[in-house]
Amino acid sequence: MASDPIYLDYNATTPIDPQVAEAMLPYLHQHFGNPSSSHAYGIAASEAVISARMQVAGLLGAEPEEIVFTSGGTESNNMVIQGLARRLASQGRHIITSAVEHPAVLEPCYALEKDKFCVTILPVDRDGRVDPDAVARAVTSETILITVMHANNEVGTVQPTLEIAEIAREHGILLHTDAAQSVGKIPVRVNELGVDFLSVAGHKLYAPKGVGALYIRSGRHLDRLIHGASHESGRRAGTENVLGIVGLGKACELAATRLEEGSTHSHALRDRLWEGLQGQLSDLRRNGDSESCLPNTLSVSFLGIDATALLAEIGDRVAASAGAACHSEGLEVSTVLTAMQVPLDYAMGTVRFSVGHPTTEAEIDTAAEAVSYTHLTLPTNTVTCRCRWSPDH
């Protein structure tokens, strides 16, 4: 019986950790109550939500009352961007963001442009890094929000969030960061980052899909995106997803204890993969900041190779993500690679490998061999860039 492919796509999603699944199990069967109910079933569910809120807050260095549970990173981002725009529209209608943001940030910003908001999309350097000086130059008297991700999902570059926070504070502007990719991989402490809002996605740190969190600094307020009853202290209506929330809480508790060990493990495996590929192939390009980078993320461009064809050939052995999509009309390169000005003949051959806690050295060596051998057998490609493409990662 054939074994499963080696999974190197942890930035896309992670498996549920066995300890997380175990913590969730009683809330699937026994503790099914509505946390708003006053009887024993409801009290058990409510206590679980309270405990999970403390676990999430503990990982982020926040207060429990500053945590709002959501359906995931996308909702958390929308809550901030749309909720703040509605609340502060009379004070200003200008938002600053970057060209390498996830669609869950860019799309709400584009939507606000249709409502007469102005959005400045800052460029990045060739490592995918936002220049804090560019942020400062973009500020106007109308600016109400700066939203820049903590770490990029495609190339792993960690942004200078603290420097951006200092600029935001100097001008009295609120700061949001999408930390979906960084929470659980590197230290993410809200006071050290200086942010007012921070988004978390459960399925990026071994919790289930469909649950997330939003940090809202005490004293900051948003207009509600979802209207209804007064759940989550009146900030997000809807009966809480107790099962998912318990899973997110446990995952955050585990992440807090594993952070240093996990980072070392991921860093070593990521570098082992890069060295393995370099040892067998030439004309490789590594994308992103090699120093200020997520420890588990490796974005590699293979010159003149169609990444989708490469991944299709090795799909039964290795699972990873491409940085471009090939269609009959031409090639669509990701917005991140476009913003970083990666040359087309490299961009078309970009693969993102991301390792996780379960990844082993043997898997890395096997993957490097499979990628290298298959690369050498593929024909080089010449395609034209049709438009930009943004993978849903």
Side-chain angles (χ1 to χ4, degrees):
M1 181 174 166
S3 59
D4 292 334
I6 296 167
Y7 188 71
L8 297 179
D9 206 14
Y10 285 85
N11 280 13
T13 197
T14 58
I16 296 177
D17 186 280
Q19 292 186 59
V20 170
E22 184 179 356
M24 293 169 62
L25 198 56
Y27 298 88
L28 183 62
H29 298 293
Q30 181 182 357
H31 303 307
F32 58 84
N34 186 323
S36 296
S37 299
S38 59
H39 49 61
Y41 293 94
I43 291 171
S46 177
E47 289 177 346
V49 172
I50 291 170
S51 177
R53 205 182 305 277
M54 294 175 65
Q55 291 168 317
V56 176
L59 177 63
L60 301 179
E63 296 299 323
E65 58 270 19
E66 296 176 314
I67 303 300
V68 176
F69 289 116
T70 69
S71 64
T74 294
E75 185 189 336
S76 294
N77 291 340
N78 274 265
M79 278 183 67
V80 174
I81 296 166
Q82 296 195 55
L84 204 62
R86 293 174 183 175
R87 188 174 188 87
L88 300 182
S90 62
Q91 299 178 32
R93 303 180 76 89
H94 180 228
I95 296 171
I96 298 172
T97 189
S98 86
V100 294
E101 298 299 310
H102 190 279
V105 165
L106 290 176
E107 290 299 324
C109 288
Y110 295 151
L112 287 172
E113 286 184 317
K114 299 176 183 178
D115 197 24
K116 299 182 180 179
F117 281 81
C118 176
V119 179
T120 296
I121 300 178
L122 298 174
V124 294
D125 63 19
R126 293 181 184 274
D127 289 330
R129 187 177 187 272
V130 175
D131 182 358
D133 290 339
V135 177
R137 290 192 297 270
V139 170
T140 75
S141 59
E142 286 278 308
T143 307
I144 56 172
L145 174 67
I146 299 170
T147 175
V148 175
M149 63 181 10
H150 189 207
N152 186 261
N153 50 298
E154 291 189 46
V155 300
T157 296
V158 176
Q159 299 295 346
T161 309
L162 180 57
E163 296 172 61
I164 295 172
E166 292 171 352
I167 294 166
R169 280 198 301 272
E170 179 183 345
H171 293 276
I173 299 168
L174 297 171
L175 175 63
H176 165 251
T177 192
D178 178 355
Q181 287 294 343
S182 56
V183 172
K185 297 172 186 169
I186 59 176
V188 179
R189 309 289 285 182
V190 292
N191 289 326
E192 293 175 8
L193 293 176
V195 296
D196 298 289
F197 309 96
L198 182 144
S199 300
V200 179
H203 75 108
K204 305 294 187 181
L205 69 152
Y206 306 92
K209 299 170 183 64
V211 66
L214 175 63
Y215 161 77
I216 302 176
R217 183 175 292 278
S218 180
R220 309 296 188 255
H221 303 282
L222 303 169
D223 275 11
R224 289 201 290 178
L225 206 62
I226 299 175
H227 297 271
S230 58
H231 305 91
E232 292 298 288
S233 300
R235 296 174 293 188
R236 196 256 189 191
T239 301
E240 293 88 348
N241 171 14
V242 178
L243 183 68
I245 287 170
V246 167
L248 177 59
K250 185 62 177 181
C252 288
E253 179 187 83
L254 292 173
T257 63
R258 296 172 173 174
L259 198 57
E260 184 175 353
E261 179 184 356
S263 177
T264 300
H265 171 76
S266 294
H267 192 285
L269 293 181
R270 180 199 66 190
D271 289 354
R272 187 183 185 97
L273 178 57
W274 174 236
E275 292 162 6
L277 294 173
Q278 279 188 310
Q280 301 183 66
L281 300 171
S282 58
D283 294 326
L284 299 181
R285 173 190 173 110
R286 182 172 178 176
N287 304 308
D289 190 323
S290 59
E291 296 298 324
S292 184
C293 181
L294 292 176
N296 79 316
T297 306
L298 177 65
S299 173
V300 181
S301 294
F302 302 91
L303 179 63
I305 294 295
D306 179 355
T308 57
L310 173 63
L311 291 174
E313 287 292 322
I314 63 172
D316 61 336
R317 290 162 287 165
V318 179
S321 291
C326 191
H327 301 280
S328 58
E329 299 91 344
L331 184 77
E332 294 177 305
V333 177
S334 84
T335 54
V336 173
L337 298 179
T338 300
M340 292 170 59
Q341 301 181 39
V342 176
L344 179 60
D345 52 359
Y346 275 104
M348 64 184 285
T350 300
V351 177
R352 182 196 65 190
F353 303 98
S354 46
V355 304
H357 296 319
T359 312
T360 66
E361 290 185 351
E363 287 179 323
I364 290 297
D365 294 342
T366 300
E369 183 66 32
V371 171
S372 299
Y373 176 79
T374 304
H375 172 281
L376 294 172
T377 65
L378 287 175
T380 56
N381 249 340
T382 302
V383 295
T384 56
C385 186
R386 183 166 69 91
C387 63
R388 295 180 181 181
W389 171 71
S390 189
D392 186 14
H393 292 170

